[in-house]
Short mmCIF file of all heavy atoms in Angstrom, two decimals:
data_model
loop_
_atom_site.label_atom_id
_atom_site.label_comp_id
_atom_site.label_asym_id
_atom_site.label_seq_id
_atom_site.Cartn_x
_atom_site.Cartn_y
_atom_site.Cartn_z
N ASP W 1 189.82 -17.05 54.69
CA ASP W 1 188.63 -17.92 54.56
C ASP W 1 187.38 -17.15 54.73
O ASP W 1 186.45 -17.56 55.46
CB ASP W 1 188.70 -19.06 55.60
CG ASP W 1 189.91 -20.01 55.30
OD1 ASP W 1 190.29 -20.09 54.14
OD2 ASP W 1 190.35 -20.58 56.28
N ARG W 2 187.35 -15.93 54.14
CA ARG W 2 186.13 -15.12 54.12
C ARG W 2 185.75 -14.56 55.51
O ARG W 2 184.60 -14.21 55.75
CB ARG W 2 184.97 -15.79 53.44
CG ARG W 2 185.12 -16.03 51.94
CD ARG W 2 183.98 -16.51 51.26
NE ARG W 2 182.68 -15.90 51.61
CZ ARG W 2 182.30 -14.73 51.19
NH1 ARG W 2 183.05 -14.00 50.39
NH2 ARG W 2 181.13 -14.24 51.58
N LYS W 3 186.71 -14.55 56.44
CA LYS W 3 186.43 -13.98 57.74
C LYS W 3 187.56 -12.90 58.01
O LYS W 3 188.70 -13.10 57.64
CB LYS W 3 186.41 -15.05 58.84
CG LYS W 3 185.25 -16.00 58.70
CD LYS W 3 185.28 -16.99 59.80
CE LYS W 3 184.05 -17.97 59.67
NZ LYS W 3 184.07 -19.02 60.71
N VAL W 4 187.18 -11.86 58.69
CA VAL W 4 188.18 -10.87 59.10
C VAL W 4 188.95 -11.39 60.30
O VAL W 4 188.28 -11.71 61.35
CB VAL W 4 187.44 -9.53 59.39
CG1 VAL W 4 188.52 -8.48 59.92
CG2 VAL W 4 186.75 -8.93 58.15
N ARG W 5 190.19 -11.39 60.18
CA ARG W 5 191.04 -11.87 61.33
C ARG W 5 191.25 -10.76 62.32
O ARG W 5 191.56 -9.65 61.95
CB ARG W 5 192.44 -12.29 60.78
CG ARG W 5 192.37 -13.36 59.69
CD ARG W 5 191.55 -14.59 60.13
NE ARG W 5 192.14 -15.29 61.20
CZ ARG W 5 191.61 -16.31 61.80
NH1 ARG W 5 190.43 -16.72 61.44
NH2 ARG W 5 192.18 -16.89 62.84
N ARG W 6 191.08 -11.08 63.62
CA ARG W 6 191.17 -10.10 64.66
C ARG W 6 192.53 -10.15 65.39
O ARG W 6 192.94 -9.16 65.87
CB ARG W 6 190.02 -10.29 65.67
CG ARG W 6 188.70 -10.49 65.00
CD ARG W 6 187.56 -10.12 65.96
NE ARG W 6 187.47 -8.71 66.16
CZ ARG W 6 186.90 -7.86 65.34
NH1 ARG W 6 186.28 -8.35 64.28
NH2 ARG W 6 186.85 -6.55 65.64
N GLY W 7 193.13 -11.31 65.41
CA GLY W 7 194.37 -11.46 66.17
C GLY W 7 194.14 -11.70 67.62
O GLY W 7 193.01 -11.62 68.13
N ALA W 8 195.18 -12.07 68.35
CA ALA W 8 195.01 -12.45 69.75
C ALA W 8 194.57 -11.27 70.65
O ALA W 8 193.93 -11.37 71.66
CB ALA W 8 196.36 -13.03 70.28
N ARG W 9 194.96 -10.02 70.09
CA ARG W 9 194.61 -8.82 70.90
C ARG W 9 193.80 -7.77 70.08
O ARG W 9 193.92 -6.61 70.33
CB ARG W 9 195.88 -8.19 71.53
CG ARG W 9 196.66 -9.19 72.45
CD ARG W 9 198.02 -8.64 72.80
NE ARG W 9 198.73 -9.61 73.56
CZ ARG W 9 199.40 -10.65 73.07
NH1 ARG W 9 199.44 -10.86 71.79
NH2 ARG W 9 200.05 -11.51 73.93
N HIS W 10 193.13 -8.31 69.06
CA HIS W 10 192.24 -7.46 68.26
C HIS W 10 192.94 -6.39 67.41
O HIS W 10 192.36 -5.42 67.04
CB HIS W 10 191.16 -6.76 69.13
CG HIS W 10 190.41 -7.67 69.98
ND1 HIS W 10 189.32 -8.48 69.46
CD2 HIS W 10 190.47 -8.04 71.31
CE1 HIS W 10 188.81 -9.16 70.37
NE2 HIS W 10 189.47 -8.94 71.52
N SER W 11 194.26 -6.60 67.12
CA SER W 11 195.01 -5.56 66.40
C SER W 11 195.52 -6.15 65.06
O SER W 11 196.34 -5.43 64.46
CB SER W 11 196.19 -5.04 67.22
OG SER W 11 197.07 -6.12 67.63
N ALA W 12 195.11 -7.33 64.66
CA ALA W 12 195.51 -7.76 63.31
C ALA W 12 195.08 -6.78 62.27
O ALA W 12 193.86 -6.31 62.26
CB ALA W 12 194.93 -9.17 63.03
N GLY W 13 195.95 -6.48 61.28
CA GLY W 13 195.62 -5.58 60.18
C GLY W 13 195.85 -4.05 60.51
O GLY W 13 195.50 -3.26 59.69
N GLU W 14 196.45 -3.76 61.65
CA GLU W 14 196.67 -2.37 61.94
C GLU W 14 197.94 -1.96 61.19
O GLU W 14 199.00 -1.74 61.80
CB GLU W 14 196.78 -2.14 63.47
CG GLU W 14 195.50 -2.31 64.24
CD GLU W 14 194.52 -1.18 63.96
OE1 GLU W 14 194.98 -0.10 63.54
OE2 GLU W 14 193.32 -1.41 64.16
N PHE W 15 197.79 -1.75 59.87
CA PHE W 15 198.98 -1.46 59.06
C PHE W 15 199.58 -0.11 59.35
O PHE W 15 200.70 0.20 58.97
CB PHE W 15 198.58 -1.51 57.59
CG PHE W 15 197.91 -2.81 57.13
CD1 PHE W 15 196.87 -2.82 56.26
CD2 PHE W 15 198.35 -4.01 57.70
CE1 PHE W 15 196.31 -3.98 55.84
CE2 PHE W 15 197.77 -5.22 57.31
CZ PHE W 15 196.72 -5.24 56.32
N SER W 16 198.81 0.82 60.00
CA SER W 16 199.34 2.09 60.37
C SER W 16 200.66 2.02 61.17
O SER W 16 201.51 2.87 61.12
CB SER W 16 198.36 2.91 61.18
OG SER W 16 197.22 3.28 60.42
N PHE W 17 200.85 0.91 61.88
CA PHE W 17 201.96 0.81 62.77
C PHE W 17 203.14 -0.01 62.21
O PHE W 17 204.10 -0.34 62.93
CB PHE W 17 201.50 0.21 64.12
CG PHE W 17 200.42 1.03 64.73
CD1 PHE W 17 199.13 0.45 64.88
CD2 PHE W 17 200.64 2.30 65.11
CE1 PHE W 17 198.09 1.22 65.42
CE2 PHE W 17 199.59 3.07 65.69
CZ PHE W 17 198.36 2.55 65.79
N ILE W 18 203.11 -0.30 60.92
CA ILE W 18 204.22 -0.95 60.19
C ILE W 18 205.44 -0.03 60.27
O ILE W 18 205.26 1.22 60.02
CB ILE W 18 203.86 -1.26 58.80
CG1 ILE W 18 202.79 -2.38 58.75
CG2 ILE W 18 205.03 -1.72 57.98
CD1 ILE W 18 202.25 -2.68 57.35
N TYR W 19 206.59 -0.55 60.53
CA TYR W 19 207.77 0.30 60.52
C TYR W 19 208.01 0.85 59.15
O TYR W 19 207.93 0.16 58.13
CB TYR W 19 209.02 -0.56 60.91
CG TYR W 19 210.32 0.16 60.82
CD1 TYR W 19 210.70 1.13 61.77
CD2 TYR W 19 211.20 -0.09 59.75
CE1 TYR W 19 211.93 1.77 61.63
CE2 TYR W 19 212.38 0.57 59.63
CZ TYR W 19 212.79 1.48 60.59
OH TYR W 19 213.97 2.12 60.43
N ALA W 20 208.30 2.13 59.05
CA ALA W 20 208.44 2.82 57.75
C ALA W 20 209.60 3.73 57.60
O ALA W 20 209.69 4.50 56.63
CB ALA W 20 207.15 3.56 57.45
N GLY W 21 210.61 3.70 58.47
CA GLY W 21 211.73 4.57 58.30
C GLY W 21 212.57 4.72 59.53
O GLY W 21 212.19 4.22 60.58
N ASN W 22 213.69 5.44 59.36
CA ASN W 22 214.62 5.62 60.48
C ASN W 22 214.03 6.65 61.45
O ASN W 22 213.10 7.35 61.15
CB ASN W 22 216.02 6.22 59.91
CG ASN W 22 216.66 5.12 59.11
OD1 ASN W 22 216.61 3.94 59.37
ND2 ASN W 22 217.31 5.56 58.01
N PRO W 23 214.66 6.71 62.61
CA PRO W 23 214.10 7.69 63.72
C PRO W 23 214.04 9.02 63.16
O PRO W 23 214.82 9.56 62.38
CB PRO W 23 215.13 7.52 64.79
CG PRO W 23 215.66 6.15 64.63
CD PRO W 23 215.78 5.88 63.16
N GLY W 24 212.93 9.75 63.49
CA GLY W 24 212.77 11.14 63.10
C GLY W 24 213.39 12.13 64.00
O GLY W 24 214.38 11.74 64.75
N ASP W 25 212.94 13.33 64.04
CA ASP W 25 213.57 14.42 64.76
C ASP W 25 213.64 14.13 66.24
O ASP W 25 214.57 14.55 66.97
CB ASP W 25 212.84 15.71 64.49
CG ASP W 25 212.97 16.17 63.03
OD1 ASP W 25 213.91 15.69 62.40
OD2 ASP W 25 212.16 16.94 62.58
N GLU W 26 212.58 13.43 66.74
CA GLU W 26 212.55 13.12 68.19
C GLU W 26 213.23 11.80 68.57
O GLU W 26 213.10 11.31 69.71
CB GLU W 26 211.09 13.15 68.67
CG GLU W 26 210.44 14.54 68.46
CD GLU W 26 209.02 14.56 68.94
OE1 GLU W 26 208.56 13.46 69.46
OE2 GLU W 26 208.37 15.58 68.87
N GLY W 27 213.88 11.20 67.62
CA GLY W 27 214.55 9.89 67.86
C GLY W 27 213.60 8.69 67.83
O GLY W 27 214.05 7.66 68.19
N LYS W 28 212.35 8.88 67.46
CA LYS W 28 211.40 7.78 67.39
C LYS W 28 211.32 7.19 65.96
O LYS W 28 211.32 7.98 64.98
CB LYS W 28 210.07 8.24 67.86
CG LYS W 28 210.01 8.70 69.27
CD LYS W 28 208.57 9.12 69.70
CE LYS W 28 208.52 9.56 71.14
NZ LYS W 28 207.20 10.05 71.54
N ALA W 29 211.26 5.93 65.90
CA ALA W 29 211.09 5.26 64.54
C ALA W 29 209.77 5.66 63.90
O ALA W 29 208.74 5.80 64.63
CB ALA W 29 211.14 3.76 64.72
N MET W 30 209.76 5.85 62.62
CA MET W 30 208.59 6.28 61.92
C MET W 30 207.66 5.09 61.62
O MET W 30 208.15 4.07 61.10
CB MET W 30 208.94 7.02 60.64
CG MET W 30 209.77 8.24 60.83
SD MET W 30 208.84 9.58 61.72
CE MET W 30 207.69 10.01 60.39
N ASN W 31 206.41 5.17 61.88
CA ASN W 31 205.50 4.15 61.45
C ASN W 31 204.76 4.60 60.14
O ASN W 31 204.88 5.75 59.80
CB ASN W 31 204.46 3.76 62.50
CG ASN W 31 203.59 4.94 62.97
OD1 ASN W 31 203.13 5.69 62.11
ND2 ASN W 31 203.38 5.10 64.23
N PHE W 32 204.15 3.66 59.52
CA PHE W 32 203.53 3.95 58.17
C PHE W 32 202.50 5.09 58.28
O PHE W 32 202.40 6.00 57.42
CB PHE W 32 202.86 2.71 57.66
CG PHE W 32 202.52 2.75 56.22
CD1 PHE W 32 203.27 3.50 55.29
CD2 PHE W 32 201.46 2.03 55.72
CE1 PHE W 32 202.92 3.50 53.94
CE2 PHE W 32 201.14 1.99 54.39
CZ PHE W 32 201.83 2.80 53.50
N SER W 33 201.72 5.11 59.39
CA SER W 33 200.71 6.14 59.50
C SER W 33 201.33 7.55 59.67
O SER W 33 200.88 8.47 59.06
CB SER W 33 199.83 5.84 60.75
OG SER W 33 198.83 6.85 60.93
N GLY W 34 202.36 7.63 60.43
CA GLY W 34 203.04 8.92 60.73
C GLY W 34 203.83 9.40 59.51
O GLY W 34 204.12 10.58 59.43
N TYR W 35 204.14 8.54 58.66
CA TYR W 35 205.10 8.82 57.60
C TYR W 35 204.45 9.00 56.20
O TYR W 35 204.73 9.93 55.47
CB TYR W 35 206.19 7.75 57.49
CG TYR W 35 207.17 7.87 56.40
CD1 TYR W 35 208.01 8.99 56.28
CD2 TYR W 35 207.25 6.99 55.36
CE1 TYR W 35 208.94 9.13 55.23
CE2 TYR W 35 208.15 7.06 54.35
CZ TYR W 35 208.99 8.16 54.28
OH TYR W 35 209.83 8.26 53.24
N HIS W 36 203.54 8.06 55.85
CA HIS W 36 203.17 8.00 54.45
C HIS W 36 201.81 7.41 54.24
O HIS W 36 201.47 6.94 53.14
CB HIS W 36 204.18 7.13 53.74
CG HIS W 36 204.51 7.68 52.40
ND1 HIS W 36 205.46 8.64 52.17
CD2 HIS W 36 203.98 7.37 51.18
CE1 HIS W 36 205.53 8.89 50.86
NE2 HIS W 36 204.65 8.13 50.24
N ALA W 37 200.93 7.29 55.28
CA ALA W 37 199.78 6.46 55.07
C ALA W 37 198.55 7.09 54.45
O ALA W 37 198.23 6.85 53.31
CB ALA W 37 199.41 5.81 56.36
N GLY W 38 197.91 8.00 55.15
CA GLY W 38 196.62 8.52 54.73
C GLY W 38 196.83 9.66 53.71
O GLY W 38 197.88 10.02 53.24
N VAL W 39 195.68 10.35 53.34
CA VAL W 39 195.78 11.39 52.36
C VAL W 39 196.64 12.56 52.81
O VAL W 39 197.12 13.28 51.94
CB VAL W 39 194.34 11.87 52.06
CG1 VAL W 39 193.50 10.81 51.37
CG2 VAL W 39 193.68 12.42 53.27
N TYR W 40 196.87 12.74 54.08
CA TYR W 40 197.71 13.78 54.52
C TYR W 40 199.16 13.52 54.19
O TYR W 40 200.05 14.40 54.24
CB TYR W 40 197.55 14.11 56.01
CG TYR W 40 196.25 14.85 56.24
CD1 TYR W 40 195.22 14.17 56.81
CD2 TYR W 40 196.11 16.17 55.91
CE1 TYR W 40 193.96 14.79 57.01
CE2 TYR W 40 194.87 16.83 56.14
CZ TYR W 40 193.82 16.17 56.69
OH TYR W 40 192.63 16.81 56.87
N GLY W 41 199.48 12.30 53.80
CA GLY W 41 200.86 11.97 53.35
C GLY W 41 201.18 12.62 52.06
O GLY W 41 202.38 12.75 51.73
N PHE W 42 200.22 13.11 51.29
CA PHE W 42 200.52 13.95 50.16
C PHE W 42 199.91 15.34 50.20
O PHE W 42 200.43 16.28 49.58
CB PHE W 42 200.14 13.23 48.83
CG PHE W 42 198.69 12.81 48.74
CD1 PHE W 42 197.75 13.67 48.23
CD2 PHE W 42 198.31 11.52 49.06
CE1 PHE W 42 196.47 13.34 48.14
CE2 PHE W 42 197.01 11.10 48.96
CZ PHE W 42 196.07 12.03 48.50
N ILE W 43 198.76 15.56 50.91
CA ILE W 43 198.22 16.83 50.98
C ILE W 43 199.14 17.84 51.71
O ILE W 43 199.40 18.92 51.15
CB ILE W 43 196.85 16.75 51.68
CG1 ILE W 43 195.83 16.06 50.82
CG2 ILE W 43 196.32 18.19 52.04
CD1 ILE W 43 194.42 15.90 51.42
N HIS W 44 199.66 17.44 52.81
CA HIS W 44 200.46 18.31 53.60
C HIS W 44 201.73 18.67 52.85
O HIS W 44 202.04 19.89 52.75
CB HIS W 44 200.85 17.69 54.98
CG HIS W 44 201.68 18.59 55.80
ND1 HIS W 44 203.02 18.58 55.87
CD2 HIS W 44 201.28 19.52 56.69
CE1 HIS W 44 203.45 19.51 56.71
NE2 HIS W 44 202.39 20.10 57.22
N PRO W 45 202.55 17.81 52.28
CA PRO W 45 203.75 18.23 51.51
C PRO W 45 203.43 19.03 50.27
O PRO W 45 204.19 19.89 49.88
CB PRO W 45 204.45 16.88 51.19
CG PRO W 45 203.45 15.82 51.43
CD PRO W 45 202.48 16.32 52.35
N VAL W 46 202.30 18.80 49.57
CA VAL W 46 201.93 19.58 48.47
C VAL W 46 201.63 21.03 48.88
O VAL W 46 202.08 22.00 48.28
CB VAL W 46 200.76 19.02 47.69
CG1 VAL W 46 200.19 19.98 46.64
CG2 VAL W 46 201.17 17.68 46.96
N ALA W 47 200.82 21.17 49.95
CA ALA W 47 200.49 22.52 50.44
C ALA W 47 201.80 23.28 50.82
O ALA W 47 201.98 24.41 50.55
CB ALA W 47 199.57 22.37 51.62
N LYS W 48 202.67 22.54 51.55
CA LYS W 48 203.93 23.19 51.99
C LYS W 48 204.83 23.64 50.79
O LYS W 48 205.33 24.74 50.77
CB LYS W 48 204.73 22.21 52.81
CG LYS W 48 205.98 22.77 53.44
CD LYS W 48 206.66 21.75 54.36
CE LYS W 48 207.97 22.34 54.96
NZ LYS W 48 208.60 21.37 55.81
#
């Protein structure tokens, strides 16, 4: 309704923390930010 939703604890829309994969090397589940979100999601693997 043309307003930005904040949520009960001001974290609505924090898409970085969406589950995005099975546990990584340290046994922790991958979130979208750590796995595939920002530009480093393609810059780092291309450089490598």
Side-chain angles (χ1 to χ4, degrees):
D1 295 333
R2 292 185 45 76
K3 293 181 180 179
V4 175
R5 306 304 298 175
R6 312 203 72 83
R9 298 169 185 83
H10 304 284
S11 60
E14 290 291 337
F15 306 142
S16 291
F17 304 112
I18 293 174
Y19 174 77
N22 293 325
D25 294 338
E26 297 180 0
K28 296 180 179 179
M30 299 295 289
N31 60 44
F32 194 31
S33 179
Y35 174 65
H36 218 86
V39 294
Y40 286 104
F42 56 85
I43 289 178
H44 184 267
V46 169
K48 185 176 179 180

